[in-house]
Amino acid sequence: MTPTSPRHFHFNGSLTGPWRVTRQVALRGDPLPAAPCLVVGTADQRPGVWHLQGITSNERYVTRAERTELVARQEGLGRVASTRAALIPIRKTAAWWALTQDERRDVLEGQSRHIAIGLRYLPAIARRLHHCRDLGPDEPFDFLTWFEYGPDDEPAFDDLLAALRASPEWTYVDREVDLRLAR
Amino acid sequence: MTPTSPRHFHFNGSLTGPWRVTRQVALRGDPLPAAPCLVVGTADQRPGVWHLQGITSNERYVTRAERTELVARQEGLGRVASTRAALIPIRKTAAWWALTQDERRDVLEGQSRHIAIGLRYLPAIARRLHHCRDLGPDEPFDFLTWFEYGPDDEPAFDDLLAALRASPEWTYVDREVDLRLAR
């Protein structure tokens, strides 16, 4: 990322917008208020039906070897064929945040294969991770992950999520919403 | 840290306040505007002469074994005898943030012994690290570290800083201000 890349992104549940919300499932904790559309961008367009924000940041767990593989396989957001998307806001427990770096890495990759699982679905599933926890002390989620893919890849995307949700890492998730979108 | 601990702190260079600024040195990059006093707290008291903010967060590098040692030796802020303090805002280069987690850990501890050096000065030098980089894309620093100690420990504190500043990690620092305070 160059220093001038935008880092702070806003997600607005709204009455109109380029992405149509096709489904919302609250897997743990409260759902978001129902909104028919979603606007994603670098402008804060509050008020809408709801507003979430996150900032892209340095990677917290990926090693050099893993990044080399990720970069070789991944494709960017905004592909013409990516007419489906998902926004998955997640909050982790206080117990997760009290782990040390080596313990979090062990749960995330050693036990849960989070990075390896994601790699299997590249380049079909493109993603961008936004951090919320250090934007301020009152954010409702810790992470917002945005995914883009083609309609034929939705079953693969569901497989990816099922693998992650069955992993030891997910015992540290105490709020998760799964929003599916189409444009 | 419990979920209700305050995490977001404000540092206001001001005309009056409990801490008197005894010295400012800009080691790299621009200094802060001169202010005679400093107010530290959880309230945003802008405008002042200058304002910096940061948020405490999960540890990024410390292992379980290291944390056990740190917790056994460290003492908290606010000790009656700690009538001296320092605020050291730091910004790291884009090259630092482009490193992977294993590379940053290797520079920080493997090559630079950052954690081990800090341990040597416990419990005399108490500290709290505040992260700024993910508060938003426009923060002037990446970290604000607040230190407290007694007058007799200032030479030891200078030794600590000299060891860190001579380390490979500091080749990734592109702005650093050293503010000394007394109350």
Side-chain angles (χ1 to χ4, degrees):
Chain A
M1 187 191 315
T2 65
T4 53
S5 295
R7 293 177 57 214
H8 193 165
F9 290 88
H10 298 269
F11 298 84
N12 286 279
S14 52
L15 299 181
T16 60
W19 291 97
R20 187 167 43 85
V21 178
T22 57
R23 201 185 71 182
Q24 178 189 170
V25 178
L27 288 108
R28 286 192 203 170
D30 292 336
L32 294 167
C37 295
L38 178 73
V39 179
V40 184
T42 54
D44 185 347
Q45 300 191 327
R46 277 176 283 188
V49 180
W50 52 259
H51 169 262
L52 293 173
Q53 56 184 330
I55 190 163
T56 61
S57 187
N58 59 296
E59 295 156 347
R60 306 292 161 87
Y61 301 105
V62 168
T63 63
R64 174 58 58 182
E66 288 161 349
R67 189 197 285 175
T68 301
E69 271 201 85
L70 287 164
V71 168
R73 293 203 217 170
Q74 73 197 1
E75 293 180 2
L77 299 179
R79 294 172 297 188
V80 173
S82 292
T83 58
R84 298 292 180 275
L87 175 66
I88 306 200
I90 278 183
R91 185 178 65 202
K92 284 183 168 172
T93 61
W96 172 262
W97 296 112
L99 296 177
T100 53
Q101 178 68 29
D102 54 332
E103 292 169 333
R104 279 183 275 108
R105 164 77 198 189
D106 179 58
V107 173
L108 185 136
E109 192 60 19
Q111 301 176 34
S112 303
R113 311 297 295 157
H114 188 139
I115 297 162
I117 289 168
L119 262 170
R120 269 189 240 147
Y121 296 90
L122 295 180
I125 314 292
R127 81 193 259 287
R128 186 170 63 213
L129 175 64
H130 310 79
H131 297 257
C132 322
R133 186 165 187 264
D134 293 342
L135 279 175
D138 300 319
E139 292 298 316
F141 295 98
D142 292 330
F143 305 100
L144 310 176
T145 315
W146 174 255
F147 301 90
E148 290 181 6
Y149 45 87
D152 293 347
D153 291 313
E154 189 120 30
F157 181 61
D158 286 323
D159 290 347
L160 184 170
L161 293 179
L164 290 176
R165 287 171 181 158
S167 74
E169 185 188 350
W170 248 249
T171 63
Y172 294 94
V173 171
D174 72 359
R175 190 174 177 197
E176 178 176 9
V177 177
D178 183 336
L179 275 173
R180 300 298 172 95
L181 306 121
R183 64 169 181 194
Chain B
M1 189 190 316
T2 65
T4 52
S5 295
R7 294 178 55 214
H8 193 166
F9 290 86
H10 298 268
F11 298 84
N12 288 278
S14 53
L15 299 182
T16 60
W19 291 98
R20 186 168 43 85
V21 178
T22 56
R23 201 185 74 182
Q24 179 189 168
V25 178
L27 288 109
R28 287 191 203 168
D30 292 337
L32 294 168
C37 295
L38 179 72
V39 179
V40 184
T42 54
D44 186 346
Q45 301 191 327
R46 277 176 283 189
V49 180
W50 52 260
H51 169 263
L52 293 173
Q53 57 184 327
I55 189 163
T56 61
S57 187
N58 59 297
E59 294 156 348
R60 305 295 161 85
Y61 301 106
V62 168
T63 64
R64 174 58 58 181
E66 288 160 350
R67 189 197 285 174
T68 300
E69 272 203 82
L70 287 163
V71 168
R73 293 204 218 170
Q74 73 197 1
E75 294 180 1
L77 299 180
R79 295 171 296 186
V80 173
S82 293
T83 57
R84 298 292 179 274
L87 175 67
I88 306 200
I90 278 183
R91 185 177 65 204
K92 285 183 168 172
T93 61
W96 172 262
W97 296 113
L99 296 177
T100 54
Q101 178 68 29
D102 53 332
E103 291 169 334
R104 280 182 275 107
R105 164 79 197 186
D106 180 58
V107 173
L108 184 134
E109 191 60 18
Q111 300 176 35
S112 303
R113 311 297 295 156
H114 187 138
I115 298 162
I117 290 168
L119 261 170
R120 270 188 240 148
Y121 295 90
L122 295 179
I125 314 292
R127 79 193 260 287
R128 185 170 64 212
L129 175 64
H130 312 78
H131 297 256
C132 322
R133 186 165 187 265
D134 293 342
L135 280 176
D138 301 319
E139 292 298 316
F141 294 99
D142 292 330
F143 305 100
L144 311 176
T145 315
W146 175 256
F147 301 90
E148 290 180 6
Y149 46 86
D152 293 347
D153 290 314
E154 189 119 31
F157 182 61
D158 286 324
D159 289 347
L160 185 170
L161 293 179
L164 291 176
R165 288 170 182 158
S167 74
E169 183 188 350
W170 248 249
T171 64
Y172 294 94
V173 171
D174 72 359
R175 189 173 178 198
E176 178 176 9
V177 176
D178 183 335
L179 276 173
R180 299 299 171 95
L181 306 121
R183 66 170 178 193

